Amino acid sequence: MEAAKRNSATDAVGLYLQAIDVADSRAKVITNIYTARRADLRKVLSTVGFGFPQITDVDWRLDWTIKSNELPRINEPVYRVKLETLATNGGLGSLAFSLSVEELQELVWSLKNAIKTVERHAQA
């Protein structure tokens, strides 16, 4: 499966099997099957696995929490965020959540940090 995932050549598969001491007769059978079914394996592998969804849109709004069941007076801002996503299989989805000002600041800081890390690795 790993060889099909990497689209390895049949020769490379044969060399790997020799390196791990698979008997020559078995290695030949495995490489013949791999050669015959590599395209089918790759097709199946493209439909399985996990990939993070891609964020396609962000909606947000600012609400004020005036009071709750526990406290008669809160008077704090709450940010409502909704992320529209596109899954690796093409399906659409969304993720909605609420954040306090402090949580939103932490999220923004984490995202900026992630961007810097990606840019650093892209330049290396």
Side-chain angles (χ1 to χ4, degrees):
M1 293 301 251
E2 190 65 29
K5 179 180 168 186
R6 296 173 188 250
N7 201 20
S8 299
T10 304
D11 295 341
V13 173
L15 290 172
Y16 176 75
L17 293 172
Q18 284 178 345
I20 61 170
D21 294 327
V22 173
D24 288 341
S25 59
R26 283 187 176 213
K28 185 171 181 134
V29 170
I30 292 170
T31 55
N32 286 341
I33 292 171
Y34 174 75
T35 301
R37 301 302 240 169
R38 178 170 55 182
D40 296 332
L41 284 169
R42 290 188 52 76
K43 186 175 181 182
V44 170
L45 286 171
S46 71
T47 64
V48 296
F50 177 78
F52 290 107
Q54 178 182 353
I55 297 173
T56 58
D57 195 17
V58 178
D59 290 321
W60 66 274
R61 73 173 194 254
L62 174 61
D63 288 340
W64 283 88
T65 303
I66 306 300
K67 65 179 183 173
S68 73
N69 292 339
E70 292 85 27
L71 297 171
R73 180 175 237 166
I74 297 175
N75 205 23
E76 290 182 355
V78 176
Y79 289 91
R80 312 271 185 210
V81 178
K82 183 177 179 184
L83 304 176
E84 300 293 333
T85 61
L86 177 64
T88 54
N89 65 2
L92 299 174
S94 65
L95 175 66
F97 53 94
S98 301
L99 299 161
S100 68
V101 173
E102 294 82 16
E103 291 169 329
L104 181 61
Q105 288 172 342
E106 186 175 326
L107 175 63
V108 169
W109 180 83
S110 295
L111 290 171
K112 286 180 179 179
N113 218 11
I115 289 169
K116 286 178 187 176
T117 301
V118 168
E119 287 173 347
R120 225 176 308 134
H121 287 297
Q123 292 174 354

